[in-house]
Amino acid sequence: MTPRYSKRILLVILAVVLLGLSVQHDFGTAWQSQYTYAFAPAAKAKQTPAPAQNSVKPPAVQEPNTVMTPKPQSLSKRVVEYHINVHLREDAQHLDGEQAVTWTNPGKNAVSDLYFHLYPNAFQSDKSTFMKESGGMLRQDKATANSLGYMKLLTLQTLNGESLLPRLHYVQPDDGNAFDFTLAKIRLPEPVAPGKSVTLRMSYEVKLPEVFARMGYSGDFVMAGQWFPKLAVYETVGTRGRTAEGWNVHQYHGNSEFYSDFGIYSVQINVPEAYTVAATGFQTKAIQMKDQKKVYQFYADDVHDFAWSASPHFVYEEDAYSDTGIPGVRIKLYLDPEHAELKDRYMHAAKSALSNYAKWYGEYPYSTLSIVVPPKGANGAGGMEYPTLVTAFAAESKNPGYDLERTVVHEIGHQYWYGMVASNEFEEAWLDEGFTSYAEDKVMETAYGLEPNLRIEASYMTDPAPLKLQSWSYDSHTQYAENVYMRAKLVLVGIENQVGSRTMQKILRTYFQKYKFKHPNTADFQRVVEQVTKTKWHDYFSQYVYDDQMADYAVESIHVRPVKQDGRQMYESIVLIKRHGGVNGEIPIVMQFTDGTKITKRWSSDESHIQYNQVHTAPLEWAIVDPNHSNVLDNKIINNFMQAKLPEETRTRWSLGVVKLIEGLIGSLGW
């Protein structure tokens, strides 16, 4: 058998072993998740008591009709203000909307153009940029023949009644795709001076696709995400490192999510009488009936998006919750009937997430948090975050595993890194997804005793790429997901392993407190790391954030030979350790000899390799790099360990013995 075939067999054996480990650690379906990129496998749970299923709860509120009033203080620069009136038609597939949107110029220059995101046009045809890049599939959720949708602007006027529709042009700054209509530019009649505002009135029709890529309908269930004409972000000097102010504009891409400015939303939602509505923010009026429709009035401030969901089948639960960093929030569950009996699990997961995030990072300042559970078949709407509203995975199973809790915990984590910090997900998705994945693991371990198997996760990193890439610049959705969710999380864990958990918690809290409501970038986070640790992190960020490196260390070779020393029989063991990737701090190396003796070395790993010469009374048995896997960025664990080769004379004796054995077998066959 040639060495080439030997290697193939070894690779097959390795694949089987890894598959076995994946199954053992409940990681077998991690890549099939249709709901959220919760990459941490469910490892063995600690003995943490589960919430009692029959715990006493206050009586269920059958209809979400709690009226609240806005708080007077402003937490953000309220650049935009939307007043929207939207009607859901009886077919549950069309929206008719009217809105007045006011934009205040935050810069120092007069602005003559406005840009609007018209996201439903991504589903207008298979020629849109989103559909071409995604291939009609997102997170294993496939578009159907009915997954066609659009947004048609019917009117667009100034307050004086002047129509701006003739001034509207669709633009494609990222790829020049003339069939993409997800971004529109409007030339204003007059420039908007610094600090001044402009208000536009518009009406529009939205055809919802059959639920796909976060929005749409499934039967009579509706998920209205990215459903209205939404202003792009005008970035001022200093925002995300800008040296000149201007619009940050991109089309809707297959990988990218969203980026918007903070503001105020007052939204009236009209639905058929049988429907219940979940939405961003809170109700400011009691539910009313008008023209045989149920009318909801919602309000939200200091948020950068507004989403809502509706169904005639929601089972509604509400609970008030307060804790450290949570002055008071009403947690609202909009459950699919299939999961009505799981209400305590959803509520426990929500409270666990809010409690820990508030203690670790900072206050949750909003008065509501809504959780929507889509029905079976509506997975495309599941596992998504919006301000004060998240969606769990669809009710596909009556007895889901920890994916239920993990998804809720993950999406609530987005309330911090997507919702309040509000990074640019077009250009730096890792600042949201990676941070949320890291935080999710911490809550799952604290609340449920589930520790991530980082060794397995690192081994799945097959196609590393820089983290600070535009979302559509990744080669595939798989590469995007591997990097901005999993590799990004490992980069944060790598920092934690060097500075300690308490310092890491201080880093993240400082970052959140300094940049909430401010749209930071990667450089802002690096500065916080350096300020808190009083250490330069240029090399680390250069290798693992701005570049695509992993930190692969290997036992490259071992040579053992007998030597005489002071008349005694000794053995010289020569161990060569190589670094095949980036530097990641001090690396432990353990060598064990046949007499049970262990020697531990610590290598700074500044050089590309190091050689250890050990003379000992017994030969070396094996050597291992990083036995406790403190280097979480090592994705090739197989080369961390090597058994020592036998001395040359012993190997020769074995070879001669094998030859004689083969000769004997051949001889016996000859008879």
Side-chain angles (χ1 to χ4, degrees):
M1 188 177 289
T2 65
R4 178 177 59 183
Y5 294 116
S6 299
K7 289 180 180 178
R8 288 184 181 179
I9 288 176
L10 287 173
L11 287 173
V12 171
I13 293 172
L14 173 62
V16 172
V17 171
L18 286 176
L19 180 61
L21 287 172
S22 299
V23 173
Q24 177 183 349
H25 291 283
D26 196 20
F27 200 60
T29 59
W31 293 99
Q32 300 172 13
S33 173
Q34 301 175 20
Y35 319 114
T36 182
Y37 287 101
F39 282 116
K44 294 181 180 178
K46 297 176 182 177
Q47 296 301 314
T48 304
Q53 295 297 317
N54 59 351
S55 57
V56 178
K57 295 286 182 182
V61 180
Q62 296 302 319
E63 180 70 35
N65 213 10
T66 303
V67 173
M68 299 181 179
T69 56
K71 295 179 180 178
Q73 68 270 27
S74 174
L75 302 177
S76 67
K77 293 180 180 178
R78 297 174 178 178
V79 177
V80 293
E81 183 170 343
Y82 293 87
H83 292 265
I84 306 176
N85 186 3
V86 61
H87 292 255
L88 174 66
R89 294 186 195 171
E90 293 290 340
D91 65 2
Q93 298 181 19
H94 290 81
L95 306 177
D96 297 300
E98 298 175 341
Q99 69 182 40
V101 55
T102 300
W103 178 76
T104 302
N105 183 352
K108 296 183 178 180
N109 300 327
V111 176
S112 298
D113 303 301
L114 297 183
Y115 288 84
F116 280 89
H117 294 288
L118 310 178
Y119 289 115
N121 284 338
F123 311 105
Q124 195 169 16
S125 77
D126 58 4
K127 295 180 180 180
S128 74
T129 294
F130 178 91
M131 294 300 286
K132 286 174 66 177
E133 292 179 353
S134 68
M137 188 169 74
L138 188 69
R139 301 187 299 182
Q140 304 300 319
D141 176 42
K142 294 182 179 180
T144 70
N146 294 320
S147 294
L148 295 174
Y150 59 80
M151 170 178 281
K152 184 185 298 181
L153 288 180
L154 305 176
T155 62
L156 175 59
Q157 299 177 332
T158 66
L159 289 180
N160 295 327
E162 179 182 354
S163 176
L164 299 184
L165 281 179
R167 296 169 175 260
L168 182 145
H169 294 276
Y170 294 101
V171 292
Q172 302 84 20
D174 301 325
D175 63 2
N177 178 8
F179 297 99
D180 188 80
F181 306 104
T182 59
L183 183 65
K185 176 182 178 181
I186 301 163
R187 188 73 173 181
L188 297 170
E190 296 179 1
V192 183
K196 300 300 181 179
S197 302
V198 62
T199 299
L200 302 181
R201 299 186 188 278
M202 55 185 69
S203 63
Y204 47 91
E205 173 190 343
V206 176
K207 168 62 176 69
L208 297 171
E210 187 166 39
V211 71
F212 169 64
R214 312 177 185 95
M215 72 174 297
Y217 70 91
S218 180
D220 50 13
F221 167 82
V222 171
M223 183 67 233
Q226 312 305 327
W227 57 279
F228 61 95
K230 186 162 61 170
L231 275 164
V233 178
Y234 188 85
E235 295 181 327
T236 57
V237 172
T239 301
R240 301 180 54 254
R242 284 193 80 123
T243 57
E245 65 183 70
W247 290 101
N248 185 280
V249 288
H250 297 293
Q251 300 153 242
Y252 193 9
H253 290 273
N255 287 334
S256 70
E257 293 191 14
F258 313 103
Y259 179 45
S260 309
D261 248 329
F262 289 97
I264 293 172
Y265 289 83
S266 179
V267 182
Q268 181 175 293
I269 304 173
N270 304 263
V271 295
E273 184 176 359
Y275 276 75
T276 298
V277 172
T280 292
F282 53 85
Q283 291 171 238
T284 56
K285 294 180 181 179
I287 300 169
Q288 299 176 346
M289 291 299 302
K290 184 179 180 181
D291 299 329
Q292 296 183 327
K293 285 215 171 184
K294 192 182 292 182
V295 181
Y296 290 78
Q297 182 67 48
F298 283 90
Y299 175 89
D301 51 27
D302 301 311
V303 297
H304 52 74
D305 198 2
F306 188 99
W308 58 279
S309 181
S311 170
H313 308 295
F314 281 144
V315 176
Y316 182 74
E317 288 285 332
E318 180 181 310
D319 200 0
Y321 181 62
S322 298
D323 201 350
T324 303
I326 307 172
V329 59
R330 302 198 78 85
I331 302 175
K332 302 180 177 186
L333 304 181
Y334 297 82
L335 303 166
D336 183 80
E338 289 294 308
H339 277 197
E341 295 181 359
L342 302 177
K343 61 183 180 181
D344 289 344
R345 286 180 60 182
Y346 282 103
M347 195 66 75
H348 184 271
K351 291 178 180 179
S352 298
L354 281 176
S355 174
N356 285 292
Y357 294 144
K359 289 173 184 174
W360 295 338
Y361 311 131
E363 179 180 322
Y364 180 80
Y366 304 111
S367 57
T368 60
L369 174 65
S370 298
I371 301 170
V372 174
V373 181
K376 184 176 182 179
N379 288 335
M384 188 57 192
E385 71 279 358
Y386 307 93
T388 77
L389 182 147
V390 302
T391 62
F393 64 73
E396 300 287 342
S397 168
K398 289 187 177 181
N399 186 28
Y402 277 111
D403 275 348
L404 183 156
E405 285 80 8
R406 185 175 290 282
T407 305
V408 172
V409 167
H410 181 93
E411 302 310 333
I412 293 176
H414 280 300
Q415 297 302 308
Y416 281 77
W417 309 116
Y418 149 86
M420 286 182 271
V421 172
S423 306
N424 185 335
E425 291 187 288
F426 290 124
E427 299 178 6
E428 298 177 280
W430 86 280
L431 290 175
D432 173 38
E433 300 296 355
F435 281 56
T436 300
S437 298
Y438 170 91
E440 164 209 324
D441 276 357
K442 296 297 183 183
V443 173
M444 292 304 294
E445 183 175 355
T446 300
Y448 299 102
L450 296 179
E451 297 181 13
N453 193 324
L454 300 178
R455 191 182 294 249
I456 293 288
E457 291 184 57
S459 71
Y460 278 100
M461 269 308 311
T462 59
D463 197 5
L467 299 182
K468 196 181 183 306
L469 279 184
Q470 294 170 322
S471 295
W472 58 95
S473 297
Y474 290 94
D475 292 338
S476 65
H477 187 69
T478 298
Q479 189 190 42
Y480 166 82
E482 279 188 9
N483 284 277
V484 305
Y485 288 81
M486 183 161 51
R487 184 166 169 272
K489 179 184 75 173
L490 296 175
V491 166
L492 294 176
V493 175
I495 296 174
E496 179 182 357
N497 286 349
Q498 293 191 42
V499 303
S501 58
R502 293 188 65 178
T503 300
M504 187 63 182
Q505 195 174 113
K506 183 178 180 182
I507 287 170
L508 293 175
R509 186 177 183 88
T510 302
Y511 175 63
F512 175 77
Q513 293 293 337
K514 185 173 183 177
Y515 289 109
K516 58 185 177 182
F517 306 108
K518 293 181 181 176
H519 307 304
N521 69 350
T522 297
D524 294 323
F525 175 63
Q526 182 179 339
R527 278 192 290 272
V528 170
V529 175
E530 293 178 341
Q531 289 166 4
V532 172
T533 62
K534 297 179 173 59
T535 305
K536 293 295 182 182
W537 285 80
H538 174 269
D539 290 346
Y540 188 89
F541 275 74
S542 294
Q543 295 172 102
Y544 304 118
V545 176
Y546 295 101
D547 203 352
D548 62 357
Q549 295 196 48
M550 297 296 286
D552 177 28
Y553 295 84
V555 182
E556 197 72 12
S557 65
I558 297 176
H559 297 285
V560 181
R561 64 187 183 92
V563 295
K564 293 288 185 179
Q565 193 175 80
D566 298 329
R568 299 171 58 200
Q569 177 67 57
M570 304 288 283
Y571 294 89
E572 181 182 32
S573 301
I574 303 169
V575 181
L576 177 63
I577 309 295
K578 279 192 176 181
R579 174 171 57 81
H580 294 292
V583 178
N584 193 20
E586 200 172 61
I587 300 295
I589 296 147
V590 176
M591 292 174 275
Q592 176 162 308
F593 297 84
T594 57
D595 63 358
T597 302
K598 281 186 180 180
I599 295 177
T600 300
K601 302 286 186 180
R602 303 195 72 84
W603 179 33
S604 65
S605 73
D606 293 331
E607 303 297 329
S608 63
H609 66 279
I610 189 170
Q611 181 173 293
Y612 294 100
N613 289 53
Q614 295 293 136
V615 177
H616 190 68
T617 54
L620 186 68
E621 185 176 5
W622 51 258
I624 186 170
V625 174
D626 191 26
N628 296 321
H629 194 54
S630 58
N631 173 26
V632 295
L633 287 164
D634 190 344
N635 62 331
K636 296 178 181 177
I637 310 298
I638 189 173
N639 60 16
N640 283 27
F641 175 83
M642 182 179 284
Q643 285 191 311
K645 294 180 179 179
L646 293 169
E648 186 66 34
E649 58 181 18
T650 304
R651 188 162 61 246
T652 301
R653 285 198 299 270
W654 270 101
S655 298
L656 289 173
V658 171
V659 169
K660 292 296 183 185
L661 177 61
I662 293 173
E663 287 177 348
L665 288 171
I666 292 174
S668 64
L669 289 172
W671 284 99

